[in-house]
Amino acid sequence: MPAPRRATIAERTLRTDRWWVQPLLTVVALVLFIIYATFRAFQNAYYLSEPYISPFYSPCITTQCEGDTFPELFTGPAWISPALYILIFPLGFRLTCYYYRKAYYRSFWLSPPACAVAEPHRRYSGESRFPLVLNNGHRYFFYAGLVFNVILSYDAVLAFRDPDGAWGHMGLGTLVLLANAVLLWLYSLSCHSCRHIVGGRLNAFSRHPLRYRFWTVASRLNAHHMRWAWTSLFGVALTDLYVLLVASDTIRDLRFF
Ligand code: FES
């Protein structure tokens, strides 16, 4: 059976509300983040102020890295920022995320820009061709994202030291790194792939009570996945900004004890 055609309506949309506000805000927010993150990833400076490290540079895996937060795995050219070696994993995780796919398909490609608003494209191939077919690899980026969450949580634990490495201290930066790690966990655990991994392909939940529990928690978080996607994105940027300001002596870290 041929697919039914769209109704022939001359207008692009019959909506009279401001349907364009949401895609516009999405474009503005994502473009601002991309500009900031690109600048910081290439800056190759001000990413460490003991005991805090920026999430853009963690894990820092080359011998050019400042500090000693992670095993230095190789020596790369000094002009290559350590952030660039690890960028593909958080970037791939976000780019292939089901929520962000919806967000950028709508706001950047207008495909479609909003419900009941016709898209400008004549043809539609979905995610069956390169490069969008790569979006189907989301679950592998999810696994990589979990590894990063563990590392950034470890960074938050290390932040309970003072600048000289003595344990049992805390500053505002400790709270910032902790909040960032929590938001990243909420974002990952609310992932659609996570929900399927823990609770999918089962015939009877009654035979898998533990997985049923995980699935219940993942499902509850999943209902707010968009919220965790945005708050964790802002969280990463603000955490990096805090480390940048402290490392460049623009502000002083507020020490509690
Ligand atoms: S669906 Fe958004 S992180 Fe997996």
Side-chain angles (χ1 to χ4, degrees), residues 137-155:
H138 179 61
R139 76 161 42 201
Y140 302 106
F141 283 112
F142 165 76
Y143 294 133
L146 290 184
V147 174
F148 274 66
N149 287 357
V150 170
I151 293 169
L152 295 183
S153 302
Y154 178 64
D155 290 341

Side-chain angles (χ1 to χ4, degrees), residues 93 96-100 138 142 187-188 190-194 225:
F93 188 35
T96 59
C97 163
Y98 287 63
Y99 166 69
Y100 283 112
H138 179 61
F142 165 76
Y187 173 54
S188 296
S190 65
C191 166
H192 294 67
S193 288
C194 173
H225 189 55

Side-chain angles (χ1 to χ4, degrees), residues 39-40 113 135 236:
F39 165 71
R40 284 293 286 148
N135 277 338
V236 169

Side-chain angles (χ1 to χ4, degrees), residues 213-243:
R213 285 201 159 209
F214 282 139
W215 178 82
T216 308
V217 172
S219 297
R220 283 209 189 111
L221 292 172
N222 180 257
H224 305 287
H225 189 55
M226 180 177 86
R227 177 192 303 165
W228 305 128
W230 282 111
T231 50
S232 62
L233 190 78
F234 289 128
V236 169
L238 291 175
T239 304
D240 173 78
L241 180 63
Y242 187 82
V243 175

